């Protein structure tokens, strides 16, 4: 397995450019299935999750061509096999977006139960409720989720029992070509939901209200190819913002939508950082001590759960006691054992972590237990004294593009120790 070897203690300085949003890309790539014709998608992040989705598209008969490092041409006209098997689906959660997209185009889909990070139980009951409400029959056999409808999908009124990013996206994908009006209530409002709706509309769909909790979708018969540029990654930007503050550095983070960062900006300011917003960039500087703070993660526009581990890493060295409550997932504090190896003092009781700040962290061998936990380990390693080795960095590379190069460009000292190649292929120049 690949490792990162990090010599801590450098103040991060300079500027980096954020890539395209992972959680938008992993919805937009399956969405290309809905249209016959050429889609040109720009600002695609160079991460392994994206590579796997391209592999799935190719296995289904699509053509996927890299135009440059961040632009890909996708033509799904000749897709004729609405099937995604275990071998690829087990790598990431978003593989289940092919269910909605394939159902929308072919009225049938079979996709293996998805993988992804483990934060306790990750049910898909709201996805199934939505598909059934549109008239599909859904069964789960031998680890495959099968959805089909004899005729066409019919628009429907769906109230989600929980706010779910995945269910909102999946049901939106299925309903854009359903007959009539679909109304999604208690929908998720994350920036990537809006980005997907904009992409679908650029392909001829009629989706209104994305970004609010009521989304209205008038089904259309035909969708066409389109050119589209994915929004910047809110979580990558936030990770660099926190790393800049933790290292007592001064970093300009470019290609950012500051509005998407408000909840993170606010908490970094309470922790003592100076955050300056520009039109499409943010500067984070921190010279004084880190102050303790209180955070509860919530669906957008609340503080994102995907920034919770990185914030915990920062607060391990605050001057006082902080409390973080996880409001989205049942079990997202598994990584604190790894922080404890570096001298952090974090007590977890269910969904609440109490972080008593220590004077400093000390290098230790640690593991990335999942994607954002891995980002937290990176931040901890950057501020720790000595040389930290992080194992299982494939989790980090699922969602952060060129992460070693980007941190090293800011003065960090990170080496990636190579290990045998995985079976995951990225398209030629991605
Ligand atoms: N839930 C249900 N039933 C469902 C679906 C979800 O009860 O049918 C519950 C979940 O158990 C959870 C809550 O609803 O308690 C929210 O889950 P959601 O469906 O919103 O999460 P997701 O779509 O599986 C996406 C991101 C995650 C991010 C969450 C929350 C993608 C591919 N993944 O997951 O991102 O944590 O939304 O914002 O978009 C990451 O990028 O590191 C990551 C894990």
């Amino acid at each position: 397995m690949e490792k990162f070897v990090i010599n801590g203690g450098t103040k991060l300085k300079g500027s980096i450019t954020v890539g395209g949003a992972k959680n938008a890309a992993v919805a937009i790539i399956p969405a290309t299935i809905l249209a016959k014709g050429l889609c040109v998608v720009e600002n695609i992040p160079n991460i392994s999750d994206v590579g796997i989705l391209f592999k799935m598209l190719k296995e289904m008969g699509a053509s996927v061509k890299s135009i440059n490092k961040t632009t890909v041409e996708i033509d799904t006209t000749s897709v004729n096999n609405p099937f995604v098997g275990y071998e690829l689906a087990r790598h990431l959660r978003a593989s289940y977006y092919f269910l909605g997209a394939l159902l929308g185009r072919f009225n049938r889909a079979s996709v293996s139960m998805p993988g992804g990070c483990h934060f306790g139980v990750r049910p898909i009951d709201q996805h199934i409720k939505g598909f059934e409400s549109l008239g599909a029959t859904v069964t789960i056999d031998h680890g495959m989720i099968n959805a089909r409808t004899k005729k066409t999908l019919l628009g429907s009124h769906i109230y989600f029992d929980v706010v779910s990013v995945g269910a909102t996206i999946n049901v939106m994908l299925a309903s854009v070509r359903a007959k009539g009006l679909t109304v999604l209530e208690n929908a998720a409002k994350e920036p990537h939901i809006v980005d997907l709706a904009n992409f679908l509309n650029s392909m001829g769909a009629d989706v209104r209200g994305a970004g609010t909790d009521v989304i209205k979708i008038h089904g259309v018969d035909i969708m066409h190819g389109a050119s589209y540029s994915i929004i910047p990654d809110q979580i990558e930007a936030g990770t660099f913002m926190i790393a800049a503050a933790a290292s007592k550095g001064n970093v300009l983070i470019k290609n950012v939508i500051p509005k998407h960062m408000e909840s993170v900006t606010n908490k970094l300011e309470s922790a003592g950082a100076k955050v300056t917003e520009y039109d499409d960039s943010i500067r984070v500087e921190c010279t004084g001590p880190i102050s303790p703070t209180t955070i509860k993660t919530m669906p957008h526009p609340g503080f994102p759960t995907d920034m919770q581990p990185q914030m915990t890493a920062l607060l391990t060295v605050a001057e006082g006691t902080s409390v973080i409550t996880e409001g989205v997932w049942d079990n997202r504090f598994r990584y604190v054992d790894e922080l404890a190896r570096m001298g952090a003092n974090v007590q977890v009781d269910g969904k609440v972590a109490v972080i008593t700040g220590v004077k400093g962290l000390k290098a230790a061998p640690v593991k990335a237990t999942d994607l954002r936990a891995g980002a937290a380990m990176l931040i901890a390693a950057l501020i720790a004294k000595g040389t930290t080795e992080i194992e299982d960095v494939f989790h980090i590379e699922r969602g952060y593009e060129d992460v070693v190069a980007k941190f090293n460009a800011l003065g960090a000292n990170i080496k990636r120790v190579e290990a045998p190649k995985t079976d995951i292929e990225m398209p030629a120049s991605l």
Side-chain angles (χ1 to χ4, degrees), residues 304-316:
T305 173
D306 294 343
M307 300 268 33
Q308 178 259 93
Q310 302 90 315
M311 206 66 194
T312 303
L314 170 73
L315 295 173
T316 59

Side-chain angles (χ1 to χ4, degrees), residues 22 26 37 62 86 93 103 127 167 169 172 175 245 253 299 308 341 355 396 408 423:
K22 162 187 166 277
V26 298
Y86 173 72
R93 199 81 198 148
L103 193 56
H127 304 236
I169 287 176
M172 203 195 295
S175 61
I253 298 144
Q308 178 259 93
R341 296 165 65 81
I355 306 154
I396 303 176
N408 283 348
D423 57 348

